[in-house]
Each structure stands twice: as structure tokens, then as C-alpha cells.
Amino acid sequence: MATYSLANERLRALEDIEREIGAILQNAGTVILELSKEKTNERLLDRQAAAFTTSVQHVEAELSAQIRYLTQVATGQPHEGSSYSSRKDCQMALKRVDYARLKLSDVARTCEQMLEN
């Protein structure tokens, strides 16, 4: 259950980033619209430019955090809330057990054939 809540939290964080990107585009549109006017409102431009810069820095930081997390998951490094590495280790152990059974079966068959002859 904890894994699902962590995944939902990560998805919510990505949705927040998406909304913030939308706000960035709106700020940029407002600045462009204001710059297209004959007489620009300097205060509005300053506010929108500051909001744009702050939002871009926040989005960059959040995306970097998401990328770091995904890098940890993809490389199997331990990280909070994931059992990927443990599951992968277990799967590999089961495959080794199956391979050992197969080889033991081959050895048993060979021994039986040698005893028959």
C-alpha cells in the first residue's frame, strides 16, 4: 500500500509541475501581449517577468528531483518506498533455482543411463 501512495504522490507532484508550466506560459503570453502594446506597463512587465523566472526555477528544481528519483529506480539503488530491487533479486534467485533444478535433473538422467548400461 505504501508503494501506491508514494506513486500517487509522485504523480501529484508531476501534475503540479504541469500546472506550473501552464502558469509559466501564461506569464510569457502576458509579457508578449504587453510588449506588443505601444505604451507598456513597466510594473506589470516586472511582476510577470519575476513570476516567470521564479516559476521556471521551481519547475527546474522539481523536475531535477523527479529525474534523480527515476534514476535511482532505474539503476536499482535503494530509495524510499520501493521494493523493486528486492523483487528483482528474488526473481533472479528463482531463475537460478530453476536452472539448478534443470541441471540436477540432467545429472540424474545421466546417472540413470550410466547405471542401466
Side-chain angles (χ1 to χ4, degrees):
M1 276 312 243
T3 304
Y4 291 121
S5 66
L6 181 63
N8 287 335
E9 185 179 318
R10 291 283 174 187
L11 287 174
R12 275 193 295 277
L14 288 172
E15 288 170 352
D16 291 344
I17 291 169
E18 184 179 16
R19 277 191 289 281
E20 191 147 4
I21 290 172
I24 288 170
L25 293 173
Q26 280 185 314
N27 288 337
T30 302
V31 168
I32 291 171
L33 182 65
E34 190 61 33
L35 287 172
S36 69
K37 295 179 181 175
E38 245 179 73
K39 185 171 177 158
T40 60
N41 182 342
E42 294 290 327
R43 289 181 59 206
L44 176 64
L45 284 174
D46 289 340
R47 279 195 316 267
Q48 293 295 324
F52 177 85
T53 302
T54 302
S55 293
V56 166
Q57 289 171 343
H58 182 257
V59 165
E60 183 179 17
E62 288 297 316
L63 284 176
S64 292
Q66 293 289 334
I67 290 169
R68 276 191 306 277
Y69 172 77
L70 291 173
T71 299
Q72 287 178 334
V73 172
T75 59
Q77 295 176 359
H79 53 85
E80 187 177 318
S82 174
S83 61
Y84 175 78
S85 181
S86 299
R87 280 186 283 149
K88 191 67 174 173
D89 289 344
C90 183
Q91 287 174 345
M92 293 304 293
L94 290 172
K95 287 183 186 278
R96 287 190 299 270
V97 166
D98 287 341
Y99 181 76
R101 280 187 190 140
L102 179 68
K103 289 300 175 185
L104 286 173
S105 175
D106 289 346
V107 168
R109 248 182 309 205
T110 302
C111 287
E112 286 175 1
Q113 288 174 354
M114 289 176 68
L115 291 174
E116 289 175 359
N117 293 335

